Amino acid sequence: MNEADVLIIGAGPSGAVASALLTAAGRSVIVLEKQQFPRFSIGESLLPHCMRFIEMAGMMQPLVDAGYQHKNGAVFVRNGQFNSFDFRDKVSPGWGTTYQVVRADFDHLLAREAERLGADIRYRQEILECEFVRDRVRLLAQTADGERLRYDGRFLLDASGFGRVLPRLLKLDRPSQFPVRRSINTHVEDRITHPDYDRNKILIGVHPEQHDVWYWLIPFSGGRSSIGVVARDSFYQGLPTDPLTRIRGLIEQEPTFALLLKDAVYDTQVREIAGYAADVSSLWGPGFALLGNAGEFLDPVFSSGVTIAMKSASLAVAAVDRQLDGEAVDWEADYAKPLKRGVDTFRAFVETWYDGRFQDIVFYKRQQPEVKRMIAAILAGYAWDEANPYVEEPMRRLEVLAKVCRAQAE
Ligand code: FAD
């Protein structure tokens, strides 16, 4: 039997950060990861707020040294109208810049750092079963060679992302309130030479006719980019089935993307990911907590996934550490509620993006500077900063602001 204070399922961003923070707190940790790293993952545009968690985990210097593409904001385009948000010009204190990363590389870097800091990561071990016996948790893992191994710990963090191990095993899965959407995406050698193009910002484009269909252009260092399209599943009906033809055809439909990517070399597998929005009935239970995507995943539009994953790791580790010291922890009050605060902020932004209200806010040119700095703070990931009125009452504020922007734009 392999034993540790805390067992973690998955070595993605939430698992790596949680394991490093626990190790720093003097806890023994075993991370069980199904795949061998480096491995592909989606989610390449980071938000400045996640830099705080990377810093807390003691992983900043290697990240800075890695030479990733700098990111300081977001540009939005719809029917030839542009608006730009600079994340350094925001109301919340904290980092205003970050990176755009090839996730295979970035996740490997975080995992290697977690190991260097003392976490024990075991690759190619897939969790099959989980059992809670009195105050212990037992896991059954299967190695890539078919060997079965047992693990025993005092607490379990599920950081298995879209693998959703505990939601499946403990029947915690709950359908997301968002419709099923599908993303088609790939990496290209972008060959972008347009003088107005700002590589330091993610570019988000809106489909000229279907405003709930959107595009991303995430530049990496080295002249490469990630490109992707997100739409309701039904939007793809009737499009070419060959993935390369399909994505090239979609890029052609958005004039700015078509122009910027006119010389792009499509040299990488095109992938489709569908039905990723997910929810759970509870983010914790006796002896376990769900981190990152193993809990709730909303939507990719504001690149919030890695930041939420790392925030969940930092909150959960503080609570686990106290529990292992024998303190009584109220997981709802100390973990689920504070985590949901920021998730609910993003939820309001996502909902109003797709119904068009937040798009009208984004493309409104005469925004009051202070309001723009509040919006920029959320787009930079500071969705938990209660001093920001858009965190305090996200939906009401967005509804009011959208009305004002729409009225004044007429
Ligand atoms: P993951 O990164 O998914 O890591 C989970 C790990 O668990 C994996 O390594 C997996 O192999 C392992 N695992 C799974 N099952 C098992 C098992 N049974 N046993 C052992 N190990 C297991 N986020 C952003 O921040 N920026 C973006 O630009 C962005 N774009 C996105 C675009 C799309 C189309 C989608 C769908 C998502 C996007 N996201 C983005 C979200 C982002 O991908 C995730 O939120 C983020 O990766 C979550 O991190 P995690 O640590 O929770 O899980």
Side-chain angles (χ1 to χ4, degrees):
M1 183 81 80
N2 299 281
E3 267 189 63
D5 289 329
V6 183
L7 303 176
I8 300 181
I9 310 174
S14 57
V17 165
S19 67
L21 292 173
L22 282 164
T23 310
R27 305 296 175 186
S28 60
V29 185
I30 298 177
V31 184
L32 298 156
E33 166 56 53
K34 182 167 139 183
Q35 300 191 59
Q36 183 62 54
F37 280 18
R39 53 95 179 91
F40 173 83
S41 177
I42 194 79
E44 297 140 329
S45 193
L46 304 181
L47 299 183
H49 187 32
C50 85
M51 303 291 271
R52 176 72 195 122
F53 307 113
I54 294 170
E55 205 170 41
M56 279 166 64
M59 299 171 169
M60 186 54 80
Q61 196 54 48
L63 181 69
V64 171
D65 294 343
Y68 291 123
Q69 171 63 48
H70 183 77
K71 176 183 173 190
N72 62 24
V75 175
F76 294 85
V77 59
R78 185 176 69 182
N79 290 327
Q81 254 195 307
F82 287 83
N83 208 357
S84 171
F85 287 79
D86 190 324
F87 293 163
R88 294 162 298 185
D89 195 11
K90 59 175 172 38
V91 288
S92 304
W95 285 81
T97 62
T98 185
Y99 299 105
Q100 319 222 69
V101 299
V102 175
R103 281 286 300 276
D105 203 64
F106 172 75
D107 288 16
H108 199 198
L109 183 150
L110 296 188
R112 282 200 310 271
E113 280 307 295
E115 284 180 302
R116 185 182 63 75
L117 294 163
D120 177 355
I121 303 185
R122 309 205 182 163
Y123 291 100
R124 302 173 80 204
Q125 298 212 16
E126 179 177 4
I127 299 307
L128 301 178
E129 288 172 19
C130 156
E131 194 189 6
F132 294 90
V133 186
R134 287 182 297 279
D135 54 352
R136 312 288 301 183
V137 52
R138 303 237 165 93
L139 292 179
L140 174 67
Q142 177 161 294
T143 69
D145 307 324
E147 191 187 350
R148 292 195 162 198
L149 299 169
R150 291 189 182 277
Y151 291 87
D152 176 275
R154 295 171 65 194
F155 202 88
L156 175 62
L157 292 176
D158 183 3
S160 63
F162 296 116
R164 303 184 65 71
V165 174
L166 285 193
R168 277 189 293 109
L169 292 177
L170 303 181
K171 304 201 179 353
L172 303 169
D173 257 323
R174 198 168 71 176
S176 166
Q177 64 181 58
F178 291 113
V180 174
R181 292 196 167 89
R182 173 180 297 271
S183 161
I184 182 165
N185 51 76
T186 189
H187 292 176
V188 295
E189 183 189 321
D190 59 61
R191 301 197 178 180
I192 300 174
T193 52
H194 199 286
D196 296 336
Y197 179 60
D198 181 357
R199 282 197 89 83
N200 293 324
K201 294 187 173 62
I202 185 175
L203 178 65
I204 303 286
V206 178
H207 189 278
E209 285 125 36
Q210 310 270 340
H211 288 185
D212 64 340
V213 177
W214 61 273
Y215 294 66
W216 79 69
L217 173 54
I218 298 175
F220 298 135
S221 53
R224 297 186 62 76
S225 284
S226 167
I227 59 175
V229 182
V230 174
R232 271 166 290 111
D233 225 11
S234 54
F235 173 81
Y236 294 90
Q237 277 162 22
L239 295 184
T241 50
D242 168 58
L244 181 59
T245 316
R246 179 177 270 204
I247 194 166
R248 294 192 75 139
L250 287 169
I251 294 292
E252 278 308 308
Q253 291 179 24
E254 203 298 310
T256 302
F257 276 67
L259 177 69
L260 289 172
L261 294 166
K262 65 182 176 10
D263 299 320
V265 181
Y266 288 73
D267 55 6
T268 306
Q269 182 194 349
V270 178
R271 297 173 189 262
E272 290 198 15
I273 304 172
Y276 34 74
D279 199 0
V280 282
S281 51
S282 177
L283 286 169
W284 61 276
F288 74 87
L290 310 179
L291 306 185
N293 276 23
E296 181 172 10
F297 180 70
L298 297 172
D299 190 87
V301 66
F302 300 119
S303 309
S304 57
V306 169
T307 299
I308 292 173
M310 290 185 178
K311 173 77 180 181
S312 71
S314 82
L315 285 170
V317 165
V320 175
D321 194 39
R322 288 200 288 118
Q323 182 156 319
L324 294 183
D325 271 342
E327 278 182 49
V329 170
D330 180 341
W331 278 87
E332 193 59 32
D334 296 347
Y335 177 64
K337 217 166 157 234
L339 180 62
K340 277 186 188 155
R341 188 76 204 235
V343 174
D344 287 343
T345 307
F346 280 122
R347 188 191 320 280
F349 277 66
V350 169
E351 259 180 61
T352 52
W353 168 264
Y354 283 106
D355 71 22
R357 284 177 292 181
F358 186 63
Q359 290 188 21
D360 290 343
I361 293 171
V362 161
F363 292 107
Y364 179 62
K365 281 289 180 115
R366 286 171 286 140
Q367 202 66 264
Q368 284 176 20
E370 191 59 6
V371 172
K372 192 162 182 189
R373 294 174 73 235
M374 290 172 189
I375 303 284
I378 309 291
L379 296 180
Y382 295 93
W384 291 263
D385 176 6
E386 292 181 19
N388 186 340
Y390 288 84
V391 172
E392 177 97 80
E393 294 182 291
M395 197 42 120
R396 198 186 69 79
R397 287 271 175 179
L398 288 170
E399 278 169 359
V400 171
L401 184 60
K403 275 193 193 136
V404 171
C405 295
R406 283 177 170 175
Q408 300 201 351
E410 277 162 11

